[in-house]
Amino acid sequence: MVIITLQRNKCIGCNYCVEVAPAQFQMSKKDGKSVLLYATEKKGFFTLKTPDDTIFEASLEAKKACPVKIIEVKQR
């Protein structure tokens, strides 16, 4: 199980997460911020829980690439 969390309101729109993990992230044409695909939102936190462990490495790289540190990635 992989759990990815994005604090979207703090996103600066640098696009690094999309470059590293395009299957999980996309840039919004509306406001220029990152979107965590297939995530659910709760109090400003967007969370994706998936049994697909193949996305863990790319998601971890996106976390490391984020200059404002708003991406969390956990594997259970």
Side-chain angles (χ1 to χ4, degrees):
M1 175 71 77
V2 177
I3 302 168
I4 307 167
T5 305
L6 171 71
Q7 283 182 275
R8 191 171 186 278
N9 60 332
K10 294 183 179 180
C11 179
I12 60 171
C14 70
N15 200 43
Y16 291 153
C17 59
V18 177
E19 290 177 23
V20 176
Q24 286 77 53
F25 297 94
Q26 201 174 60
M27 296 308 287
S28 169
K29 291 180 179 155
K30 194 173 185 179
D31 63 6
K33 293 185 177 192
S34 178
V35 175
L36 178 58
L37 301 174
Y38 314 111
T40 55
E41 189 266 340
K42 188 174 182 182
K43 296 184 179 178
F45 289 84
F46 290 79
T47 305
L48 170 66
K49 294 180 182 180
T50 179
D52 183 5
D53 288 334
T54 62
I55 69 168
F56 180 72
E57 289 300 321
S59 301
L60 198 59
E61 289 303 312
K63 174 186 175 174
K64 291 176 187 174
C66 181
V68 287
K69 308 295 180 206
I70 59 169
I71 300 170
E72 266 312 310
V73 180
K74 296 177 185 170
Q75 189 173 33
R76 292 186 182 168

